[in-house]
């Protein structure tokens, strides 16, 4: 009877579902937006599961052990495979998974970001098994070097490659890629410090179709810029922090054959207004210009040249400059199509200047006024009246604004999705006005010590799309506020409650209803016990990052609950917690996805037990934070083993101080 029931459940031959073709099922599935609903949909029966497999084009694997089964099911139709959440992935596992489905791959894009265990053998297997491969992300794979680059060069159809912070790639590896992948259009080699002018010169000769190039923080000179200037199709160039490039290099760009749409020369110390002026003159179709932290003051010539970009410029970042009201008036007159302006940490920004700016730039959707300490409610009033399309507003440390200014934002900017009010003297009344912005998704209120649960009730009442909330050191917030947020903001994914000292286990019980919660910071919550952590572990199964530093009442019971229920946890901080070796061994012995672990001053864990727990961990740690006093106590073999696995150990020299 039971078997017959199971067959009936999986084979709906006698129901109306049997009349639905696969094509029709796929059309139905395309109208199901919520991932949870999609998961429930494919569990209905085998036909639904098959239709979902045929429809799926992208797959993100969260656990390495699930990789073979998932690929067997989805291989035939996948275009994009994301393995960045599998830190333990190595050459053997990658090659075995790829060749198990040999001949069926249509993959075009693969992300191996932070998969530090993948080497040249795995990349060679990837290139051989996926002839249609166009995009590969190897960013932050610090062990990737020239041999890996040579293996990947066999993917001759490659168009997009990310090698950010692949520290071992040199000119030799770049040359291999340039020769083997001449169709490259998008290349990012930020922080690849071993690449020099020689490599860039060869790249520019071989990859003539390059459209996007990021060479930020490379030790290159003007010679590289001269080579880059010959790339006729180049549209986006990022050279952040290239301190050896000066105005002469930018002059090459102005005389070059490329049609740049975006250029970022922020933190290039030797660039002046003269060099930037030459870039503007040579690229009248420039859309994005980032010159933040280059030189102290905006020159009149530079400002006047912006008039030549009045029809094209949409993004202008001027972080760190001295910007007067007259300068902002000129920008408002010359750049009426601006959609984003960055004035973070700019001196001399006043209410008058902001009023002049927004009077001309009424289409602004993003304004960054971080640390513009002279601004008052008058500036917010002008923004609310003029910028009706505003989506993002950053006001961190603008300590003269009040609820009166935010009333104009709440009324005049109905499309607002992100606002940063960190360290601003705002109150619950301000939250009442901001709650009118029903599209709000990111709200940062760190250090706003006048915000209480009453303010959170206002936000929860109307901001249903909120997915990030920062309440760092909001000491007036209580469990009642968390109850309101948990009820009204069910989509919340990132929540910072560090040092909100009135929160207790009852608040954790409320938060356990947030099924989508992924990043939770509970540092310094002295009234939260293992019972509260257990509630979080049971209810928030998607949690990937958890900070419990200085949670003095969280012990082994809490760690055991995390070990049992939060299998996706990738980052955890239990520094200063009163856990013993048993809890630590349980945590590290069970959670195989952990990549970043902070274990400073675990006074109840003997050194030999700490070493045993680290030896027994079967995952792929990438970062480990320990007290510096353990450096000479842990065995050299353990430290060498961790470093051989590409785990970066950060030794912290902090005294053991007990919080009250």
């Amino acid at each position: 009877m039971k078997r017959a029931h199971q067959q009936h459940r999986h084979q709906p031959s006698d129901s109306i579902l049997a009349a639905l073709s696969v094509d029709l099922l796929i059309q139905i599935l395309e109208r199901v937006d919520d991932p949870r609903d999609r998961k429930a949909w494919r569990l209905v029966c085998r036909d639904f599961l098959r239709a979902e497999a045929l429809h799926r084009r992208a797959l993100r694997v969260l656990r390495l052990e699930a990789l073979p089964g998932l690929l067997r099911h989805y291989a035939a139709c996948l275009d994009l495979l994301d393995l960045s959440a599998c830190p333990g992935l190595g050459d053997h596992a990658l090659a075995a998974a790829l060749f198990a489905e040999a001949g069926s791959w249509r993959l075009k894009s693969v992300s191996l970001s932070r998969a530090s265990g993948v080497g040249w053998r795995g990349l060679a297997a990837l290139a051989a098994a996926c002839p249609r491969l166009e995009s590969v992300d190897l960013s932050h794979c610090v062990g990737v070097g020239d041999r890996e680059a040579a293996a990947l060069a066999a993917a001759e159809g490659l168009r997009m490659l990310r090698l950010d912070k692949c520290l071992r790639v040199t000119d030799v590896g770049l040359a291999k890629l340039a020769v083997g992948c001449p169709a490259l259009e998008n290349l990012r080699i930020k922080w690849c410090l071993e690449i020099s002018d020689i490599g860039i010169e060869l790249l520019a000769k071989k990859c003539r179709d390059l459209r996007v190039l990021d060479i930020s923080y490379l030790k290159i000179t003007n010679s590289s810029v001269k080579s880059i200037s010959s790339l006729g199709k180049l549209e986006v160039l990022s050279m952040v922090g290239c301190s050896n490039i000066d105005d002469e290099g930018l002059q090459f760009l102005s005389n070059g054959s490329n049609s740049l749409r975006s250029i970022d020369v922020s933190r290039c110390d030797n660039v002046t207004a003269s060099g930037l002026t030459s870039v503007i003159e040579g690229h009248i179709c420039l859309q994005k210009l980032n010159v933040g932290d280059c030189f102290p003051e905006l020159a009149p010539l530079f400002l006047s040249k912006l008039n030549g970009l009045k029809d094209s410029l949409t993004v202008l970042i001027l972080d760190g400059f001295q910007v007067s009201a007259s300068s902002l008036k000129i920008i408002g007159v010359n750049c009426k199509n601006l959609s984003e302006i960055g004035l973070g940490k700019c001196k001399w920004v006043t209410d008058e200047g902001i009023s002049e700016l927004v009077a001309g730039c009424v289409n602004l959707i993003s304004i960054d006024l971080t640390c513009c300490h002279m601004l008052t409610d008058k500036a917010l009033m002008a923004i609310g009246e003029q910028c009706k399309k505003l989506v993002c507003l950053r006001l961190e440390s603008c300590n003269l604004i009040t609820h009166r200014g935010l009333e104009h934002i709440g009324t005049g900017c109905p499309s607002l999705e992100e606002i940063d009010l960190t360290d601003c003297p705002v109150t619950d009344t301000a939250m009442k006005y901001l709650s009118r912005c029903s599209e709000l998704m990111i709200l940062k209120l760190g250090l706003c010590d006048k915000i209480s649960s009453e303010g959170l009730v206002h936000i929860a009442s109307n901001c249903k799309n909120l997915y990030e909330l920062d309440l760092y050191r909001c000491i007036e917030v209580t469990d009642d506020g968390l109850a309101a947020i948990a009820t009204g903001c069910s989509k919340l994914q990132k929540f910072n409650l560090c040092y909100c000292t009135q929160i207790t286990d009852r608040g954790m019980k409320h938060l356990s209803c947030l099924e989508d919660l992924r990043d939770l910071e509970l540092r310094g919550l002295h009234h939260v016990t293992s019972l509260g952590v257990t509630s979080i572990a049971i209810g928030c199964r998607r949690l990937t990052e958890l900070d419990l530093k200085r949670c003095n009442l969280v012990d082994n019971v809490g760690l055991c609950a995390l070990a049992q229920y939060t299998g996706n946890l990738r980052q955890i901080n239990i520094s200063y917690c009163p856990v013993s070796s048993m809890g630590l061994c349980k945590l590290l012995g069970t959670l195989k996805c952990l990549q970043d672990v902070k274990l400073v001053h675990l006074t109840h864990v003997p050194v030999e037990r700490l070493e045993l727990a680290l030896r027994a961990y079967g995952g792929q740690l990438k970062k480990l934070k320990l007290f510096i006093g353990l450096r000479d106590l842990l065995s050299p073999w353990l430290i060498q083993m961790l470093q051989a696995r590409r785990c970066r150990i950060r030794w912290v020299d902090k005294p053991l101080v007990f919080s009250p």
Side-chain angles (χ1 to χ4, degrees):
M1 181 66 70
K2 183 177 180 180
R3 184 176 181 182
H5 173 72
Q6 290 176 339
Q7 289 178 344
H8 177 73
R9 184 181 65 179
H10 291 291
Q11 300 290 344
S13 56
D14 296 330
S15 71
I16 191 174
L17 298 179
L20 302 179
S21 67
V22 173
D23 289 341
L24 186 56
L25 289 175
I26 290 176
Q27 290 183 39
I28 295 172
L29 181 58
E30 288 175 346
R31 290 165 172 78
V32 181
D33 296 324
D34 193 301
R36 289 170 294 188
D37 292 339
R38 283 175 171 262
K39 183 176 181 179
W41 192 90
R42 67 174 179 258
L43 294 176
V44 171
C45 64
R46 290 175 182 170
D47 288 339
F48 277 37
L49 183 62
R50 179 169 174 266
E52 195 266 346
L54 293 173
H55 176 264
R56 184 182 283 270
R57 295 293 179 266
L59 177 66
R60 186 170 191 259
V61 182
L62 297 178
R63 297 190 183 183
L64 182 57
E65 59 268 24
L67 180 60
L70 289 171
L71 294 187
R72 279 195 301 272
H73 190 61
Y74 294 111
C77 299
L78 282 182
D79 290 330
L80 186 152
L81 178 61
D82 185 351
L83 300 173
S84 60
C86 297
L89 183 66
D91 287 343
H92 177 75
L94 179 59
L98 291 170
F99 286 120
E101 304 300 323
S104 61
W105 289 110
R106 50 177 282 176
L107 274 177
K108 294 182 180 179
S109 177
V110 175
S111 175
L112 294 167
S113 176
R114 302 183 187 275
S116 54
V118 174
W120 68 271
R121 292 182 179 87
L123 294 176
L126 177 66
C130 305
R132 300 184 183 182
L133 198 61
E134 295 182 358
S135 173
V136 175
D137 184 354
L138 288 170
S139 57
H140 299 277
C141 293
V142 294
V144 167
D146 293 340
R147 199 169 188 182
E148 286 74 22
L152 198 55
E156 59 183 20
L158 209 60
R159 297 181 181 277
M160 191 282 236
L161 178 60
R162 293 197 63 168
L163 294 173
D164 300 334
K165 226 163 190 180
C166 292
L167 303 179
R168 299 183 182 181
V169 175
T170 72
D171 292 331
V172 175
L174 186 60
K176 294 283 187 181
L177 288 167
V179 173
C181 307
L184 272 176
E185 296 179 359
N186 187 328
L187 178 63
R188 300 174 188 269
I189 49 177
K190 180 179 179 180
W191 283 110
C192 294
L193 300 179
E194 298 301 319
I195 292 176
S196 70
D197 292 336
I198 297 173
I200 299 298
E201 181 181 0
L202 183 59
L203 175 71
K205 289 180 179 178
K206 296 296 182 181
C207 300
R208 304 300 299 170
D209 292 332
L210 274 174
R211 298 180 183 275
V212 179
L213 181 61
D214 188 347
I215 53 173
S216 298
Y217 299 103
L218 268 59
K219 300 174 184 178
I220 55 174
T221 68
N222 294 334
S223 177
S224 286
V225 184
K226 182 178 181 180
S227 301
I228 292 169
S229 68
S230 67
L231 294 170
K233 298 181 180 180
L234 191 65
E235 297 178 356
V236 179
L237 177 61
S238 295
M239 301 190 298
V240 181
C242 292
S243 56
N244 294 327
I245 293 174
D246 56 24
D247 292 347
E248 181 183 350
L250 296 188
Q251 187 67 46
F252 287 131
L253 288 179
S254 67
N255 297 330
S257 58
N258 46 53
S259 52
L260 283 176
R261 298 289 186 271
S262 172
I263 183 168
D264 186 347
V265 292
S266 56
R267 300 181 185 176
C268 290
D269 301 335
N270 292 313
V271 167
T272 71
S274 176
L276 291 174
T277 300
S278 66
V279 172
I280 293 174
E281 291 176 335
H283 300 91
I284 59 173
C285 295
L286 204 62
Q287 298 172 1
K288 299 180 180 180
L289 179 61
N290 188 339
V291 296
D293 300 300
C294 281
F295 45 91
E297 189 172 356
L298 292 176
L301 179 61
F302 170 78
L303 290 170
S304 65
K305 292 297 181 181
L306 290 177
N307 184 54
L309 304 176
K310 62 181 180 181
D311 295 326
S312 62
L313 194 65
T314 59
V315 177
L316 179 61
I317 308 299
L318 301 171
D319 296 344
F321 279 87
Q322 296 176 3
V323 185
S324 64
S326 59
S327 297
L328 290 175
K329 181 177 181 179
I330 294 173
I331 293 172
V333 171
N334 291 341
C335 308
K336 293 186 178 296
N337 289 327
L338 275 186
S339 62
E340 179 179 349
I341 182 78
L343 299 171
K345 299 182 180 180
C346 286
K347 298 178 180 179
W348 303 351
V349 176
T350 62
D351 295 338
E352 179 188 356
I354 295 300
S355 299
E356 296 284 5
L357 173 70
V358 299
C361 303
V362 296
N363 294 317
L364 282 169
I365 62 174
S366 179
I367 303 175
D368 187 353
L369 299 172
T370 300
C371 295
C372 292
H373 301 296
M374 300 173 67
L375 296 181
T376 72
D377 291 334
K378 291 182 180 179
L380 300 189
M381 185 184 303
I383 292 172
E385 290 177 354
Q386 300 291 342
C387 303
K388 303 300 182 182
K389 301 177 183 178
L390 194 66
V391 172
C392 175
L393 179 60
R394 297 188 176 96
L395 298 168
E396 179 181 350
S397 297
C398 292
N399 46 29
L400 297 180
I401 65 172
T402 71
H403 64 275
R404 296 182 182 85
L406 290 172
E407 180 179 6
H408 293 277
I409 298 298
T411 303
C413 306
S415 299
L416 194 69
E417 295 180 3
E418 176 182 351
I419 186 166
D420 187 348
L421 293 169
T422 302
D423 198 20
C424 292
V426 294
T427 62
D428 292 335
T429 305
M431 297 303 100
K432 179 180 179 180
Y433 297 137
L434 279 182
S435 67
R436 298 171 182 172
C437 303
S438 60
E439 301 300 316
L440 200 63
M441 301 171 72
I442 300 176
L443 176 59
K444 297 184 179 181
L445 299 171
L447 298 171
C448 296
D449 56 8
K450 296 180 181 179
I451 298 293
S452 71
S453 294
E454 180 184 345
L456 298 187
V457 170
H458 291 309
I459 294 297
S461 66
N462 197 42
C463 302
K464 307 299 182 183
N465 294 322
L466 199 70
Y467 75 81
E468 180 178 346
L469 178 58
D470 185 351
L471 298 177
Y472 176 80
R473 290 191 185 273
C474 291
I475 56 177
E476 296 299 322
V477 170
T478 67
D479 295 333
D480 293 335
L482 300 194
I485 291 296
T487 302
C489 306
S490 59
K491 298 180 181 180
L492 202 65
Q493 296 182 22
K494 187 173 182 179
F495 203 178
N496 187 343
L497 285 166
C498 291
Y499 302 106
C500 295
T501 51
Q502 296 193 51
I503 302 300
T504 71
D505 288 341
R506 188 165 67 89
M508 297 300 101
K509 184 65 175 178
H510 294 313
L511 293 187
S512 67
C513 299
L514 297 172
E515 296 180 359
D516 289 332
L517 196 63
R518 288 169 169 78
D519 185 344
L520 180 60
E521 298 184 58
L522 303 175
R523 181 178 301 195
L525 301 193
H526 303 311
H527 299 298
V528 171
T529 73
S530 290
L531 182 63
V533 173
T534 299
S535 298
I536 293 294
I538 294 174
C540 306
R541 301 292 184 93
R542 298 185 180 185
L543 204 63
T544 59
E545 298 183 24
L546 179 62
D547 189 346
L548 295 172
K549 181 179 178 181
R550 294 191 182 278
C551 290
N552 300 332
L553 299 180
V554 175
D555 55 19
N556 292 342
V557 176
L559 295 196
C560 289
L562 292 172
Q564 182 175 355
Y565 297 109
T566 57
N568 293 323
L569 206 61
R570 282 164 175 72
Q571 180 174 319
I572 189 168
N573 187 350
I574 55 173
S575 300
Y576 299 89
C577 290
V579 299
S580 73
S581 54
M582 184 195 77
L584 181 61
C585 288
K586 179 68 174 178
L587 186 78
L588 296 183
T590 306
L591 299 180
K592 303 302 182 184
C593 292
L594 281 175
Q595 301 178 27
D596 187 340
V597 180
K598 298 176 176 64
L599 307 173
V600 179
H601 287 309
L602 300 184
T603 56
H604 293 73
V605 180
V607 175
E608 60 273 12
R609 293 293 182 177
L610 174 61
E611 176 151 346
L612 180 63
L614 292 174
R615 286 191 183 196
Y617 180 63
Q620 183 72 38
L621 277 182
K622 292 184 176 179
K623 295 181 181 179
L624 176 63
K625 183 183 286 189
L626 298 170
F627 175 54
I628 194 170
L630 296 173
R631 178 184 286 177
D632 296 328
L633 299 177
L634 293 171
S635 69
W637 181 88
L638 173 66
I639 296 174
Q640 291 171 7
M641 180 196 73
L642 290 170
Q643 292 174 340
R645 292 179 179 178
R646 299 191 176 97
C647 175
R648 184 165 64 89
I649 304 176
R650 181 182 175 190
W651 303 101
V652 180
D653 188 10
K654 290 185 178 180
L656 179 58
V657 178
F658 294 99
S659 300

